């Protein structure tokens, strides 16, 4: 169809979309084009939250969550909380193509990736990630992302500063809540690339790469490597990509929901809105967004808690176009 090839990505990650567009027009498969696109974001460290040197965890370490999915075969490869290896999306592709598994995590994911030829072990920290972490640590007096636990002292078991007590202003509950909200979705960053690419015949691949939530508890795996949550594709129906609060989103598999709703006949716009509203009804403060695209290339977005932008490149465009979506 003349609507294809087609590249769609979360956020105005223009260079990533251009790289995916070039690859698919140069004859790459959708899978390889998604790897080109997402790798570009990892290399450029899009928004400081994708690839090496991005959002650190509570121990200051940067890790990577990534997923790739083939919409023709429903094959999936993923890595969660991968350490010491810069190439998240390439590691995910290795898992998909060279194992019978779907997801590898942590140090063992790194070991596998390196054994298959990716470079490493590398230090994934950067000056920026260490500065971000140091600033966060200096201002903290409560553990991050924990609930229903009683801190062992006035400032919690983690990253406490000597002499800080509960009466101090920055220990106020509201401030902590605000702080956690910001650290979760990023203050002015966008955290995640999720991308869908259709080749000329309409074969779809999707991919996601992210450092996950800033200052997360080490070991946390987000929605990034979860098929159906961060992204999903089925050639027979279409595709979806997501960004936002993965701890919440992965409870709903919004991208699976979108694709299945479109399978039953919902338009992308309606399917996307429905998937976001299902989450927002249970979590009114949830922050997240998705794009939906059907097998004809019709696309739409929906979001909650922030304004969302997604990028598209199709044969009818001269360059990448950015679409803005307002909260439902
Ligand atoms: C996560 N979904 O790990 C990612 C973060 C994100 O926009 O997309 N933020 O929760």
């Amino acid at each position: 169809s003349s609507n294809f090839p087609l590249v769609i990505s979360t956020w105005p990650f223009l260079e990533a979309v251009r790289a995916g567009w070039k690859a698919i027009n140069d004859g790459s498969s959708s899978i390889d084009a998604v790897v080109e696109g997402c790798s570009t974001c990892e290399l450029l460290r899009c928004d400081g939250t994708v690839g090496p040197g991005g959002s650190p965890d509570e121990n200051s370490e940067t890790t990577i969550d990534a997923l790739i999915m083939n919409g023709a075969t429903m094959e999936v490869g993923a890595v969660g909380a991968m350490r010491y290896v810069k190439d998240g999306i390439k590691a995910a592709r290795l898992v998909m193509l060279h194992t019978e598994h779907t997801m590898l995590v942590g140090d063992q994911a790194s070991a596998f990736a390196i054994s298959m030829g990716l470079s490493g072990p590398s230090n994934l920290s950067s000056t920026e990630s260490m500065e971000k972490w140091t600033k966060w640590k200096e201002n903290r007096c409560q553990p991050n992302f924990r609930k229903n636990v009683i801190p062992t002292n006035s400032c919690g078991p983690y990253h406490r500063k000597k002499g800080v007590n509960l009466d101090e202003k920055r220990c106020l509950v509201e401030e902590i809540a605000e702080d956690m909200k910001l650290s979760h979705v990023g203050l002015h960053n966008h955290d995640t690339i999720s991308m869908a690419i259709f080749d000329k015949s309409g074969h779809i691949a999707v991919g996601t790469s992210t450092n996950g939530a800033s200052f997360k508890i080490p070991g946390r795996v987000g929605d990034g490597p979860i098929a159906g949550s961060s992204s999903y594709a089925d050639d027979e129906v279409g595709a979806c990509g997501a960004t936002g609060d993965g701890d919440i989103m992965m409870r709903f598999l919004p991208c699976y929901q979108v694709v299945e709703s479109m399978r039953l006949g919902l338009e992308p716009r309606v399917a996307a809105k429905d998937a976001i509203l299902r989450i927002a009804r249970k979590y009114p403060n949830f922050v997240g967004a998705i794009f939906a695209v059907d097998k004809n290339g019709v696309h739409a977005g929906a979001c909650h808690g922030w304004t969302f932008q997604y990028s598209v490149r199709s044969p009818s465009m001269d360059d990448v176009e950015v679409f803005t979506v307002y909260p439902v």
Side-chain angles (χ1 to χ4, degrees), residues 89 241 276 285:
I89 196 75
I276 289 293
N285 298 323

Side-chain angles (χ1 to χ4, degrees), residues 23-47:
I24 201 71
N25 282 288
D26 286 351
S28 293
S29 65
S30 324
I31 287 289
D32 292 345
V34 160
V35 170
E36 279 303 309
C38 291
S39 290
T40 298
C41 247
E42 291 170 353
L43 218 63
L44 296 174
R45 298 168 40 203
C46 283
D47 281 326

Side-chain angles (χ1 to χ4, degrees), residues 65 184-185 190-192 210 212-213 220 222-224 243-247 306:
D65 286 351
H184 207 167
V185 297
H190 295 136
D191 300 284
T192 295
T210 183
R220 180 262 193 190
D223 59 332
T243 178
D245 181 347
D247 289 307
W306 58 7

